[in-house]
């Protein structure tokens, strides 16, 4: 019996839809029945992760646990979360269940090491994720070198993530801001970009600016497909 | 307390992802917490609906019921199914649960009557859906006139749905077939097209042929958003 995936979602909802769609598109399949059974709880009650880490916002763990219990009841064999910042709470959640979590950050770091050996990544992420040092540690473990956005660049990332994608605003007017951000990081030494907030692949897919990018949502999808005993479509 | 949605999915998986994404994009929201809590069981074990209706294929109801039980455990307040043909089995499933199903076909017929009064629809659907007469009855109830595809056109629809979308094949080579099909139906009296198989909005979004189309996946998303007490984004 092949395994199933549980998506602890809602962080945000569009990123959850993106992860689920990527699992479907990246699974080698020729009919409905060749696909993986996927359970999703897109729980819109989960408190903001960055606010909880940086500014004493409400604890997201209780509502994350509520979704986790639903995925347990459904019979998920692994849990994945389409939110990089949420991975700060992964150890706490892993203590509460026997179902293994698959880490998006570890899957991403492994993809960086394999696809861009000897090159330097720029980490594009929320202030919450960057403050935890989680990406730095995951990349160091795989010997991947990286540069970090400065304070003004972090402000721009937060604007794009919170005031544009999460606020359901049109992306097109942001093309110039997005291009400028990437150019600055390239000048600071970046050879490629980690789209380290799950709202960013949604921007990157739509705005016609060439990376190269590493898409953690796609890397997590591939890691979960392989964990379940299915083949990744090349 | 606002209501939640349960998606009885996997029929097919890409159509399930499309429905979920449309719910997110069509909900009026300015942050993650403004969205609807959505539970999904994308159950890839559900037997093919058209084969069950037309050619004695395996009964899809047991695996549909398995997904239904999971959505009940999660606490869904309504159930929606991203598969027109599956609606043939809706009465059987409704008998098994107190949670109300929202019918994609009824939502679509209402949208046709409102958006194209006095005009004629062409019903694009699987042979399974067409053989049940479900769409015809839903449209007649709303006084919507329609034309049906002939046998050759039904063969082309089955090819596009099963050999292209469900088989994860590229859509671009099908542009000419798709355009010819629509042109023929227009000559037969159609003013607009009901994309009455959930794999078809995926084609229609990608291939640049102007309808006008009625997208039952979007109409179902809107009906579910309103049922849950949220506002549809215009």
């Amino acid at each position: 019996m092949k395994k199933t995936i549980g998506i602890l979602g809602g962080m945000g909802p569009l990123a959850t839809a993106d992860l689920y769609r990527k699992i479907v598109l990246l699974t080698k399949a020729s009919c409905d029945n060749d696909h993986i059974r996927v359970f999703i709880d897109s729980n819109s009650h989960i408190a903001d992760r960055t606010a909880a880490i940086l500014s004493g916002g409400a604890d997201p763990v209780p509502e994350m646990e509520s979704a986790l219990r639903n995925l347990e009841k459904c019979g998920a064999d692994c849990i994945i979360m389409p939110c990089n910042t949420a991975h700060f709470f992964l150890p706490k959640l892993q203590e509460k269940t026997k179902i293994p979590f698959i880490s998006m950050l570890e899957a991403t770091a492994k993809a960086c090491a394999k696809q861009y050996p000897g090159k330097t990544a720029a980490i594009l992420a929320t202030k919450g994720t960057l403050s935890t040092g989680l990406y730095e540690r995951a990349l160091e473990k795989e010997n991947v070198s990286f540069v970090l956005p400065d304070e003004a660049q972090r402000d721009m990332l937060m604007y794009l993530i919170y005031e544009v994608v999460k606020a359901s605003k049109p992306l097109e007017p942001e093309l110039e801001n997005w291009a400028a951000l990437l150019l600055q990081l390239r000048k600071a030494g970046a050879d490629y970009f980690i789209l380290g907030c799950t709202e960013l692949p949604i921007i990157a897919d739509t705005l016609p600016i060439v990376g190269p990018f590493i898409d953690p949502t796609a890397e997590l999808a591939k890691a979960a497909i392989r964990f379940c005993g299915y083949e990744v479509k090349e």
Side-chain angles (χ1 to χ4, degrees), chain A:
Chain A
M1 192 76 176
K2 283 178 176 173
K3 295 192 175 84
T4 63
I5 295 172
I7 300 182
L8 202 170
M11 311 178 279
L14 204 56
T16 307
D18 188 43
L19 173 61
Y20 171 43
R21 186 168 166 270
K22 281 173 179 159
I23 291 170
V24 177
L25 292 176
L26 289 167
T27 302
K28 196 171 176 184
S30 58
C31 69
D32 291 357
N33 299 141
D34 287 348
H35 282 272
I36 305 174
R37 187 169 189 171
V38 179
F39 310 109
I40 303 175
D41 184 346
S42 184
N43 185 0
S44 51
H45 305 305
I46 299 173
D48 189 77
R49 285 67 62 202
T50 288
I53 294 169
L54 289 185
S55 50
D59 183 6
V61 171
E63 286 294 337
M64 290 170 90
E65 187 176 350
S66 154
L68 176 61
R69 296 297 168 230
N70 280 333
L71 299 172
E72 277 179 340
K73 282 183 236 165
C74 289
D77 293 309
C78 65
I79 307 283
I80 56 180
M81 298 192 290
C83 173
N84 290 274
T85 317
H87 281 63
F88 177 69
F89 304 98
L90 192 155
K92 257 193 200 170
L93 291 162
Q94 186 64 81
E95 277 173 17
K96 296 175 189 293
T97 184
K98 285 179 184 169
I99 309 174
F101 278 76
I102 301 174
S103 160
M104 178 155 45
L105 285 75
E106 285 174 19
T108 301
K110 280 179 187 145
C112 290
K114 199 175 163 189
Q115 286 183 50
Y116 299 106
K119 301 283 184 187
T120 299
I123 307 173
L124 309 181
T126 63
K127 290 188 180 182
T129 298
L130 291 170
S131 80
T132 64
L134 284 176
Y135 253 113
E136 291 92 310
R137 282 200 293 283
L139 293 172
E140 279 161 4
K141 206 175 143 197
E142 301 292 333
N143 293 312
V144 173
S145 62
F146 55 84
V147 293
L148 294 167
D150 65 23
E151 207 49 44
Q153 290 158 350
R154 288 174 197 219
D155 285 342
M156 174 53 67
L157 283 164
M158 291 299 281
Y159 166 77
L160 289 169
I161 294 163
Y162 280 84
E163 306 304 322
V164 182
V165 186
K166 284 186 192 290
S168 314
K169 293 281 162 60
L171 300 175
E172 289 68 23
E174 307 306 331
L175 182 56
E176 218 165 301
N177 284 329
W178 178 239
L181 176 71
L182 299 186
L183 193 66
Q184 287 165 15
L185 284 163
R186 197 176 282 283
K187 279 188 189 156
D191 298 305
Y192 64 102
F193 306 93
I194 298 172
L195 300 167
C197 164
T198 50
E199 309 293 6
L200 293 176
I202 300 165
I203 292 188
D205 281 356
T206 304
L207 298 181
I209 293 291
V210 180
F213 297 117
I214 286 277
D215 174 356
T217 305
E219 297 309 326
L220 179 60
K222 287 187 234 171
I225 291 166
R226 291 194 185 105
F227 175 89
C228 290
Y230 290 76
E231 237 182 286
V232 170
K233 196 178 167 184
E234 297 304 336

